Amino acid sequence: MNLTAKNKWILLIFSALAGFINGFLGGGGGVIIVALLLSVLKLHQKHAQATALLIIFPLTIVSAIVYLCKGNVDWQPTLWATLGVVVGGIVGALLLSKIKGNVAKIIFAAVLIAGGVKMFF
């Protein structure tokens, strides 16, 4: 994919915002990245979600290191949740490769809406 200068700037600015949100809130940057990839680059839903995971990976490592250095990590839930996340991530990635893009988009939107409603209340 050949990016225009304008798209490069849009990606850089909104990715910085995603990094800030992820670092500040401990998550959520990937949602911005997926939306960005869908709207700016017009990627298919599956490609946007997979690409966002790779984009967020180094951000997650850096944010985790900062939190770790500040002593803000509780190890017992971290270890148990990490096991669940690894298993769930494998299952989710395999499932995503088997469903249609529109189904993935609907599931993605439903999860975002449900999470927003839950956070609100």
Side-chain angles (χ1 to χ4, degrees):
M1 169 176 285
N2 220 357
L3 294 175
T4 65
K6 178 183 175 185
N7 283 353
K8 288 178 184 177
W9 279 106
I10 291 170
L11 286 170
L12 183 63
I13 291 166
F14 282 95
S15 295
L17 175 64
F20 171 78
I21 289 172
N22 210 73
F24 187 70
L25 299 176
V31 172
I32 292 173
I33 297 295
V34 170
L36 184 65
L37 295 172
L38 290 171
S39 63
V40 173
L41 299 184
K42 307 295 186 212
L43 292 182
H44 294 287
Q45 184 73 31
K46 290 181 185 181
H47 292 160
Q49 288 176 217
T51 303
L53 287 172
L54 287 176
I55 291 170
I56 292 299
F57 181 64
L59 165 65
T60 302
I61 291 171
V62 170
S63 296
I65 289 170
V66 170
Y67 285 124
L68 182 64
C69 289
K70 299 279 186 185
N72 294 326
V73 176
D74 190 341
W75 285 104
Q76 189 170 4
T78 298
L79 295 174
W80 284 101
T82 298
L83 178 62
V85 167
V86 168
V87 172
I90 292 168
V91 172
L94 292 172
L95 180 61
L96 181 62
S97 68
K98 295 187 183 311
I99 64 175
K100 293 182 179 182
N102 286 339
V103 173
K105 189 177 285 189
I106 291 167
I107 293 170
F108 185 74
V111 168
L112 289 180
I113 291 168
V117 169
K118 175 73 173 152
M119 294 282 293
F120 188 72
F121 294 108

